[in-house]
Amino acid sequence: MVERLLTIKEVADYLQVNERTVTRYINSGEITSIKFGGQRRISKQALEDFINRHTTKPTIKGDQSND
């Protein structure tokens, strides 16, 4: 079964950013998209990948490890 693709507006709403911001992410290659008839669609997996790449781990004060 093919997964449902998200519109730029749906992604913008989910990320709580402007649609232009999502378009910039697409144009820069940070979010992969598919173009159908002049409209961009984003897979849920592409959105998850983007979020995972931009998620930071909290640093523990005083942690001197070099992991």
Side-chain angles (χ1 to χ4, degrees):
M1 181 174 189
V2 177
E3 76 174 291
R4 183 177 171 281
L5 299 173
L6 304 169
T7 65
I8 289 175
K9 180 176 181 359
E10 289 171 326
V11 172
D13 289 346
Y14 183 80
L15 295 175
Q16 297 179 0
V17 298
N18 192 287
E19 290 178 46
R20 285 177 284 182
T21 302
V22 175
T23 301
R24 281 195 299 268
Y25 289 147
I26 290 169
N27 291 337
S28 71
E30 290 191 66
I31 296 178
T32 57
S33 67
I34 302 165
K35 191 172 184 178
F36 289 111
Q39 295 184 359
R40 293 280 173 184
R41 295 289 187 261
I42 299 99
S43 70
K44 290 181 182 179
Q45 184 62 54
L47 180 57
E48 262 184 51
D49 293 345
F50 172 80
I51 291 169
N52 288 337
R53 284 193 310 274
H54 288 84
T55 300
T56 58
K57 295 180 183 176
T59 57
I60 301 170
K61 192 171 185 173
D63 185 9
Q64 299 286 325
S65 66
N66 291 325
D67 292 336

